[in-house]
């Protein structure tokens, strides 16, 4: 069922002097998927991309494209093309010359080059701009030229190095959908590098989260968010509250767990970890609800025992339009982040600073982390 | 924005005034005097009458002077080409060297400027003359048993010696603008070219050279124009047949005591330099259009 990987990193390392930019990475990219390498700056993601492009050579391990070890194959002979971070459009050539460059140097006949450049211009919706110079285009148009230039040679894999970083926020949002649509249209495997988790989650079929040159987790966007493998992934993908945990009682059903910096025991609807294992509890801010009345209150909205409750005081409110992020201080001073949608019909009035509140979350809401 | 306050205009005049006076006194005025001489003729040993005649310019068109002018242009062109061919790899090597090496390498290129041109030229004579370093070195390894006694090569006082000397003097002037252009070159453009399937040579010809063109043109101008008017190098390293236009001008002012003709030749040299720069400007503009 699983097709052979189109790109395979086999225990690849890349050292820049004493710095381990890539440290023993093994990773398979499947044919036809949109794969994102996600991580903070300096995590080695760009090095991985350049190793595939042939612009860098691995210090150890192998890079395979279509099952073939590409060690010793120079960049200009690899069946991959790249969209560079700064786009790297040739400033002394027109848009059409830029897009046709790969065909021209490959010796493709001028007539066929012209046809394919016209097709490429149509593909990225730049018809009529072929005679412009790159500096006469908007940021979004330059982006499309870089895409067309890299796609015209019909590479096995399109490499994208922070492809949207040169655009302003509004355009970036629009280009995300367009890029994902383009990938579906051309059917070429996309391997993208980004530090922007929203970008990766919005576009990619699968993501690898990298940290200090190592792979932390490889998963589909939803799985990364819902089931992070480590504190680093949980923290890097979206906001999260992380508590250090200690097992109190493991029942056949929900386990009861004490978090050292949470002043109430947690009820978790999960299999308990073996005693003595260090672990952490991750709780997404949007999984916590805020109420004015608690479980002891007769008129409390949620008193059921499947939920966890904690009392706190609102310390800070970050208004974000559709939602607000509340910083709530628990009795022991620990700050918990709660994301609450604004303007929902029938919702109680907004909470205010210094207001005493109850935090409530389901026993199924938290995730256990063991790293 | 467009309307400048009066105070700013005053400051501008104050700052621009002294240099303008300086240029008028020491650049424009001497040029006018020389132009006057060029349009005059000798009356006696020290007296020059400005007659407004173009006779001196007519005399410059005689084959003997046209030959010297042609040779000067030829020498300058050869020197410029040699500097470009030698200087480009040097400039690339510096621009692509690790950052911590670049300053030291640039200093090495500029090192000759620390020594007076005359001394450097004499040093070159010591290298090239019949008993010089090159000939001594060859003599040392010469297999006399097979080839007979070594006859020293005639390396000095010929056209080749002049070209070698000119290239030696002008090379830093070519390397520095080339380096400046290559240093500004975005490396990802070369990587993009490689990524799109172009080999190293194709990438060099289609990306590196066109983008370094401003530096190449600047290097050509500041190599070609001074070389055209070179005086010391052909005087010391050249033979009787390798005189350049500046040597002829010098002779008019000194031994021949024909200032009007020397002035006319000077103006022709200046005009040639201006034509060369205008041509290069034209080429640049056509390249950009």
């Amino acid at each position: 069922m699983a097709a052979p990987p189109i790109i395979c990193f086999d225990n690849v390392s890349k050292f820049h002097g004493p710095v381990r930019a890539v440290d023993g990475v093994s990773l398979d990219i499947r044919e036809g998927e949109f794969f994102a390498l996600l991580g903070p700056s300096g995590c080695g993601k760009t090095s991985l991309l350049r190793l595939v492009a042939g612009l860098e050579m691995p210090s150890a391990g192998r890079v395979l494209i279509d099952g073939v070890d590409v060690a010793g194959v120079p960049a200009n002979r690899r069946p991959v093309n790249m969209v560079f971070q700064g786009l790297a459009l040739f400033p002394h050539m027109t848009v059409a010359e830029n897009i046709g460059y790969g065909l021209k140097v490959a010796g493709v006949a001028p007539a066929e080059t012209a046809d394919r450049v016209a097709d490429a211009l149509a593909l990225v919706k730049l018809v009529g701009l072929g005679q412009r110079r790159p500096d006469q285009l908007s940021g979004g148009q330059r982006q499309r030229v870089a895409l067309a230039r890299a796609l015209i040679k019909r590479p096995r894999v399109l490499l994208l190095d922070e492809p949207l970083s040169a655009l302003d926020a509004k355009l970036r949002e629009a280009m995300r959908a367009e890029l994902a649509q383009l990938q579906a249209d051309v059917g070429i495997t996309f391997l993208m590098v980004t530090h922007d988790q929203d970008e990766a989650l919005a576009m990619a079929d699968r993501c690898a989260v990298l940290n200090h040159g190592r792979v932390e987790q490889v998963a589909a966007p939803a799985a990364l968010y819902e089931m992070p493998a480590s504190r680093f992934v949980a923290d890097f993908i979206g906001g999260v509250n992380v508590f250090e945990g200690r097992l109190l009682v493991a029942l056949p059903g929900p386990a009861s767990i004490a978090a050292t910096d949470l002043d109430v025991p947690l009820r978790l609807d999960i299999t308990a970890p073996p005693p003595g294992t260090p672990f952490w509890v991750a709780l997404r801010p949007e999984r916590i609800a805020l109420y004015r009345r608690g479980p002891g209150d007769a008129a409390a909205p949620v008193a059921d025992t499947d939920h966890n409750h904690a009392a706190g005081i609102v310390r800070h409110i970050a208004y974000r339009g559709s939602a607000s992020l509340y910083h709530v201080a628990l009795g022991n001073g620990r700050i918990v982040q709660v994301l609450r949608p604004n303007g929902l019909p029938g919702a109680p009035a907004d909470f205010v600073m210094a207001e005493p509140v109850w935090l409530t979350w389901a026993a199924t809401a938290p995730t256990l982390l063991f790293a | 924005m467009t309307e400048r306050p009066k105070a700013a205009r005053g400051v501008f005049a104050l700052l621009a005034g002294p240099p303008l006076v300086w240029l008028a006194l020491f650049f424009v005025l001497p040029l006018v005097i020389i132009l006057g001489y060029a349009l005059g003729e000798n009356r006696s040993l020290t007296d020059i009458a400005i007659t407004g005649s173009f006779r001196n310019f007519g005399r410059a068109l005689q084959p003997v002077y046209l030959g010297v002018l042609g040779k000067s242009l030829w020498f300058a062109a050869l020197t410029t080409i040699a500097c470009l061919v030698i200087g480009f790899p040097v400039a690339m090597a510096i621009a692509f060297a690790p950052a911590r090496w670049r300053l030291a390498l640039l200093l090495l290129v500029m090192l000759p400027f620390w020594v007076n041109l005359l001394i450097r030229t004499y040093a070159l004579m010591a290298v090239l003359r019949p008993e010089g370093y090159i000939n001594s070195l060859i003599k040392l390894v010469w297999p006399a048993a097979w080839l007979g006694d070594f006859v020293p090569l005639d390396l000095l006082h010929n056209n080749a010696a002049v070209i070698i000397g000119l290239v030696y003097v002008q090379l830093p002037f070519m390397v520095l603008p080339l380096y400046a252009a290559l240093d500004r070159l975005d490396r990802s453009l070369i990587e993009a070219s490689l990524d799109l399937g172009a080999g190293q040579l194709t990438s060099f010809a289609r990306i590196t050279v066109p983008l370094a063109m401003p530096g190449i043109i600047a290097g050509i101008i500041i190599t070609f124009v001074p070389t055209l008017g070179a005086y010391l190098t052909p005087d010391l390293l050249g033979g009787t047949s390798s005189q350049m236009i500046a040597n002829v001008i010098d002779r008019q002012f000194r031994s021949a005591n024909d200032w009007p003709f020397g002035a006319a030749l000077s103006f022709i040299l200046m005009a040639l330099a201006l034509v060369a720069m205008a041509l290069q400007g034209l080429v640049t503009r056509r390249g950009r259009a």
Side-chain angles (χ1 to χ4, degrees):
Chain A
M1 53 145 262
I6 190 164
I7 292 175
C8 170
F9 295 98
D10 179 15
N11 201 17
V12 172
S13 294
K14 175 68 187 177
F15 311 135
H16 296 297
V19 182
R20 287 166 174 260
V22 177
D23 193 0
V25 166
S26 290
L27 199 60
D28 286 347
I29 317 293
R30 297 175 199 143
E31 171 114 47
E33 72 177 335
F34 195 143
F35 195 96
L37 296 168
L38 176 62
S41 61
C43 73
K45 54 193 191 301
T46 298
S47 285
L48 279 177
L49 204 67
R50 292 171 62 85
L51 287 168
V52 177
L55 300 170
E56 289 180 24
M57 297 297 160
S59 310
R62 300 186 305 159
V63 178
L64 294 91
I65 300 177
D66 275 328
V68 180
D69 187 351
V70 289
V73 179
N76 53 325
R77 303 242 177 83
R78 295 194 180 192
V80 298
N81 287 122
M82 184 148 157
V83 174
F84 285 78
Q85 179 165 14
L87 302 183
L89 298 181
F90 304 131
H92 58 302
M93 298 184 192
T94 63
V95 166
E97 285 167 343
N98 262 284
I99 296 175
Y101 184 82
L103 299 179
K104 188 173 180 180
V105 297
V108 174
E112 191 194 336
T113 302
D115 283 351
R116 282 170 68 177
V117 167
D119 290 347
L121 281 168
L123 179 71
V124 296
K125 300 174 194 138
L126 285 178
V127 174
L129 297 182
Q131 293 316 307
R132 296 264 186 98
R133 297 257 165 191
D135 59 8
Q136 294 168 321
L137 300 180
S138 71
Q141 288 169 333
R142 277 203 294 276
Q143 174 73 53
R144 291 155 198 265
V145 175
L147 275 168
R149 187 179 71 174
L151 281 170
I152 198 164
K153 292 193 76 181
R154 296 167 193 149
R156 293 285 290 139
V157 181
L158 182 73
L159 308 172
L160 303 118
D161 188 3
E162 303 272 4
L164 306 182
S165 61
L167 307 178
D168 58 68
K170 191 94 181 164
L171 202 52
R172 198 153 49 210
E173 200 88 15
M175 273 306 278
R176 278 182 198 166
E178 218 170 290
L179 207 53
Q181 184 60 47
L182 184 69
Q183 197 260 341
D185 289 347
V186 295
I188 289 173
T189 309
F190 277 26
L191 176 57
M192 176 179 76
V193 154
T194 182
H195 68 276
D196 184 335
Q197 40 121 350
D198 289 338
E199 208 166 286
L201 298 186
M203 288 192 281
D205 299 317
R206 288 198 306 150
C207 303
V209 180
L210 294 158
N211 189 27
H212 296 308
R214 294 165 186 271
V215 176
E216 290 269 337
Q217 187 175 6
V218 182
L224 275 186
Y225 189 80
E226 303 293 342
M227 290 173 282
S230 65
R231 280 172 293 161
F232 177 81
V233 175
D235 189 50
F236 193 74
I237 312 284
V240 72
N241 300 291
V242 175
F243 307 99
E244 204 170 323
R246 184 162 54 84
L247 190 65
L248 283 185
V249 196
L251 297 169
S256 187
I257 285 170
T260 52
D261 49 359
L262 194 60
D263 51 5
V264 289
L266 280 165
R267 261 192 306 278
L268 291 182
D269 194 5
I270 43 165
T271 318
T277 339
F279 63 90
W280 294 265
V281 179
L283 187 52
R284 296 285 181 196
E286 72 276 12
R287 297 295 179 84
I288 308 173
L290 287 183
Y291 292 102
R292 290 203 162 82
R293 295 175 179 186
D297 198 311
V302 275
D304 62 299
T305 48
D306 289 343
H307 277 71
N308 295 284
H309 307 277
I313 290 171
V314 176
R315 286 286 181 228
H316 179 75
I317 304 169
Y319 180 72
R320 292 184 181 174
S322 60
S324 288
L325 187 71
Y326 292 80
H327 287 203
V328 178
L330 303 181
N332 62 5
R334 161 78 202 232
I335 299 286
V336 176
Q337 297 186 16
V338 181
L339 192 69
R340 182 173 179 271
N342 289 325
L344 284 188
D350 288 346
F351 295 89
V352 295
M353 291 284 281
E355 186 176 349
V357 290
W358 279 93
L359 305 160
T360 305
W361 62 95
T364 52
T367 318
L368 283 202
L369 306 172
F370 296 96
Chain B
M1 278 301 282
T2 46
E3 218 159 312
R4 283 197 206 128
K6 264 209 175 100
R9 225 178 296 165
V11 170
F12 180 74
L14 203 69
L15 286 175
L20 281 177
V21 170
W22 178 276
L23 280 176
L25 267 181
F26 298 109
F27 181 70
V28 179
L29 188 62
L31 271 184
V32 170
I33 293 172
I34 293 288
L35 183 64
Y37 285 168
L39 297 174
E41 55 188 284
N42 271 347
R43 279 279 187 260
S44 68
L45 215 54
T46 52
D47 187 28
I48 296 169
I50 298 173
T51 54
S53 123
F54 283 88
R55 202 171 53 92
N56 291 314
F57 289 96
R59 197 177 146 204
L61 295 178
Q62 286 171 5
V64 56
Y65 298 112
L66 281 183
V68 173
L69 272 175
K71 176 168 274 176
S72 301
L73 285 169
W74 174 235
F75 279 14
L78 271 183
T79 303
T80 307
I81 291 166
C83 282
L84 188 59
V85 170
I86 300 169
F88 210 103
V90 173
M92 266 186 91
I94 300 174
F96 288 81
R100 61 180 187 282
W101 284 98
R102 258 176 250 160
L103 189 65
L105 290 171
L106 277 178
L107 274 176
L108 278 181
V109 169
M110 290 187 276
L111 207 58
F113 292 146
W114 295 3
V115 179
N116 179 281
L117 174 62
L118 190 63
I119 294 169
R120 277 187 286 149
T121 308
Y122 274 116
L124 209 51
M125 290 171 78
V127 172
L128 295 176
R129 69 196 162 136
E131 324 72 61
Y133 296 117
I134 290 181
N135 276 316
S136 314
L137 212 67
I138 298 176
K139 196 177 176 184
L140 211 63
V141 297
W142 186 261
W146 299 345
L147 300 171
D149 277 345
F150 173 65
V151 183
L153 302 171
D154 260 330
L155 299 173
L156 197 56
H157 299 308
N158 55 33
N159 293 349
V162 175
I163 299 290
I164 290 171
L166 288 172
V167 169
Y168 167 59
V169 170
Q170 294 297 330
L171 194 56
F173 294 104
M174 180 62 92
V175 169
L176 293 180
L178 286 179
Y179 167 77
L182 290 170
D183 191 49
R184 273 197 305 268
L185 182 75
D186 183 355
R187 298 304 135 83
S188 70
L189 295 175
I190 298 170
E191 290 184 343
S193 171
L194 293 172
D195 181 70
L196 290 166
Q200 295 284 357
L201 272 178
T202 312
S203 301
F204 176 78
R206 291 192 188 277
I207 307 297
T208 311
V209 169
L211 290 175
M213 201 46 87
I216 293 173
I217 285 170
I220 286 176
I221 290 177
I222 57 179
T223 307
F224 185 83
V225 171
T227 309
L228 196 57
Y231 165 74
L232 190 67
T233 311
D235 193 46
L236 291 181
L237 300 180
T240 44
S241 70
S242 27
Q243 295 298 294
M244 291 174 71
I245 187 69
N247 306 104
V248 177
I249 293 171
D250 168 64
R251 216 157 32 205
Q252 302 313 314
F253 277 94
R254 294 206 299 186
S255 42
N257 194 32
D258 192 349
W259 286 30
F261 184 51
L265 286 177
S266 300
F267 258 87
I268 290 170
L269 174 60
M270 210 166 73
L272 279 178
L274 283 175
V275 167
M277 286 173 75
L279 272 179
Q280 277 151 340
L282 213 66
V283 169
T284 326
R285 198 166 311 156
R286 192 171 303 163
R288 288 211 188 112

